[in-house]
DNA sequence: GCCTGCATGTAACGTGTTACATGATTTA
DNA sequence: TAAATCATGTAACACGTTACATGCAGGC
C-alpha cells in the first residue's frame, strides 16, 4: 500500500468528520475547504475506491429508493493513518496568482496600467472575502479548528484586498519607496 | 495558433523584461516570482520553442566558446499579445495549504493537536517571509511594480504568521469565539 | 584533474480539470 | 411534465514535477 496523496488525506479527513457519499464530499468541499483545498469528481470517486481497497474507509450501500448510493465510513486503520499524517511536517503552501503575475510584469508591458491591475486584484479579494463570510454565516464545520480556518480565510482575503489597494495607491502616486539605500537596509529581517 | 497557457505568458513577460536564455529564466523565476508563480525546466524549454514557432519571441544563437546558448528576445507580436493579456480579467488565485487542511480537520483527528499545527504553520510562514526579505535585499526586479509585488509577498507571509499564531492562542485558550448568535450575525458582510 | 556553474533537453510519472454519459428522485 | 438535485462514474486532456542524460567553461 503506497503513500497517500494529500488529496486522499483530505477526503479521508472529511469522511472522518462524519460518514458521507462521494456527492456529499464534493458539496462539502465546495463550500468549505474550496479556498485552500479543492477537489473534483474525477478525483473523489476513484480515490474513495482506492481508500476502501486499502481498508482505510468502508463503503455501505444505502440506496434511496431505486437510486444507488454508497456511504463511506472511516475505519480504525483510517483513523490511525490520519493521526500519523497529522504528526508529519506539512508541505509548503503553494499558490499561483495571475493578478500578482500581471502586476509583477507590468513594468515590462504597460507601466501605466499597474494601478488598474492592482485595483482589480483588490476587488477580486473583496469578492472572495464576501463569499467566505456568506459561508461563515451558515457554517457547517462548527468545531473550533475548522471555524478558526474559516475566520483566518476571511482575514486573509481582507488583508489581500488592503494590500493591493495600498499597492495601487503607491503606484498611482509613483511613491513606491524603492530600496534606495538606508530605508531598505535597516529593516531586513 | 492556440491560446497560450498562463505559464507561457509568464515566460513571455520575463523575456519582455530583457532577453534571456532558458537557464536564466529559470534562475530568475527561482528568486523572484517563485512564491506566486513557479516554473520548471520541463515547462520552460518546450514553451520557449513553442513561443518561437508562434513568432512571439525570437531565439538567437550566442554560444560562449564551444557551449551552445540561445538567447530569446520578444518580438512586436509578442508585445502585442502581452498587452492583450494584460487587459483580460485574471483567473482567481488558487492555493493549496496542507497546514490549513490539517488545522481544518484537527477536530476530527486529534483536537488537542490543533494549536501545535497552527504554531508550525506560523513558523513556516516566518521562514518564507525571511527568505523573501533575503531576496528583497539584493533585489533584481527593481522597477516599481515588481518591487511592489515583492513587498506585498513579505507583508503577506508576515500576516500569515500572525494569523496562525493568533489562531493557536485562541485554540489554546479554548476561546475560539464561535458564531453563537448575535456576534456572528451582526458582521456578515 | 575535479568540482561547480552554465546550458539544453526529454521521458516518465503523477495529479487535476472538463466534459460527457447515465439514471433516479424531488419539487415547482 | 419539466427542471433541479442527488448520485456515480470515466475518458481525454492539460499541466507540472522529477529525474535523468549530455556536455562545455572556469576556478581551485
Amino acid at each position: 500500500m503506497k503513500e497517500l496523496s494529500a488529496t486522499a488525506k483530505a477526503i479521508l479527513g472529511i469522511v472522518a468528520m462524519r460518514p458521507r457519499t462521494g456527492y456529499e464530499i464534493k458539496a462539502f468541499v465546495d463550500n468549505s475547504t474550496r479556498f485552500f483545498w479543492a477537489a473534483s469528481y474525477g478525483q473523489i470517486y476513484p480515490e474513495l475506491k482506492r481508500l476502501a481497497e486499502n481498508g482505510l474507509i468502508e463503503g455501505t450501500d444505502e440506496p434511496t429508493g431505486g437510486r444507488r448510493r454508497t456511504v463511506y465510513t472511516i475505519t480504525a486503520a483510517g483513523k490511525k493513518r490520519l493521526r500519523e499524517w497529522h504528526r508529519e511536517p506539512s508541505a509548503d503552501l503553494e499558490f499561483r496568482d495571475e493578478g500578482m503575475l500581471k502586476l509583477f510584469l507590468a513594468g515590462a508591458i504597460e507601466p501605466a496600467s499597474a494601478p488598474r491591475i492592482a485595483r482589480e486584484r483588490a476587488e477580486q479579494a473583496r469578492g472572495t472575502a464576501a463569499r467566505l463570510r456568506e459561508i461563515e454565516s451558515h457554517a457547517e464545520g462548527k468545531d473550533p479548528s475548522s471555524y478558526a480556518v474559516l475566520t483566518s480565510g476571511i482575514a486573509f482575503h481582507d488583508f489581500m484586498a488592503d494590500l493591493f489597494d495600498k499597492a495601487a495607491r503607491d503606484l498611482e502616486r509613483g511613491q513606491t519607496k524603492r530600496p534606495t539605500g538606508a530605508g531598505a537596509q535597516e529593516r531586513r529581517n
Side-chain angles (χ1 to χ4, degrees), chain A:
Chain A
M1 172 162 57
K2 322 176 197 172
E3 274 309 303
L4 297 177
S5 67
T7 295
K9 285 154 193 163
I11 293 170
L12 190 55
I14 290 167
V15 171
M17 299 177 93
R18 70 170 176 75
R20 281 180 220 258
T21 66
Y23 186 84
E24 285 169 338
I25 290 168
K26 171 68 169 146
F28 179 76
V29 164
D30 281 352
N31 64 63
S32 58
T33 73
R34 170 169 48 130
F35 295 97
F36 60 92
W37 208 277
S40 60
Y41 286 126
Q43 295 173 270
I44 293 171
Y45 284 110
E47 199 58 73
L48 283 170
K49 272 198 178 154
R50 237 170 292 144
L51 290 169
E53 276 163 23
N54 290 331
L56 303 177
I57 57 176
E58 206 171 11
T60 323
D61 283 355
E62 292 184 21
T64 325
R67 184 165 55 193
R68 55 192 278 264
R69 194 163 158 276
T70 310
V71 177
Y72 292 91
T73 310
I74 194 153
T75 63
K79 280 180 195 165
K80 191 173 160 244
R81 194 63 158 250
L82 277 177
R83 283 193 303 268
E84 283 161 16
W85 169 60
H86 230 211
R87 280 179 211 117
E88 289 159 18
S90 301
D92 281 344
L93 100 162
E94 47 184 283
F95 83 64
R96 328 206 97 191
D97 188 329
E98 202 185 356
M100 268 205 185
L101 181 63
K102 279 185 186 171
L103 185 55
F104 183 82
L105 296 171
I109 299 174
E110 257 189 327
S113 66
R116 195 208 70 227
I117 304 273
R119 294 249 178 250
E120 281 170 9
R121 186 62 190 71
E123 199 45 53
Q124 210 179 47
R126 267 190 293 275
T128 308
R131 273 178 289 155
L132 283 176
R133 288 208 161 84
E134 187 53 35
I135 289 169
E136 188 202 25
S137 68
H138 30 75
E140 194 194 341
K142 281 183 229 97
D143 79 295
S145 60
S146 57
Y147 184 69
V149 168
L150 205 47
T151 312
S152 299
I154 294 168
F156 164 70
H157 289 285
D158 281 345
F159 174 79
M160 292 291 270
D162 289 347
L163 202 61
F164 282 103
D165 273 334
K166 189 182 173 306
R169 278 196 304 276
D170 288 351
L171 288 164
E172 273 158 8
R173 285 201 222 102
Q175 292 178 351
T176 323
K177 275 188 228 129
R178 287 164 59 181
T180 45
Q185 297 311 314
E186 70 189 1
R187 45 112 51 171
R188 68 144 155 33
N189 210 2

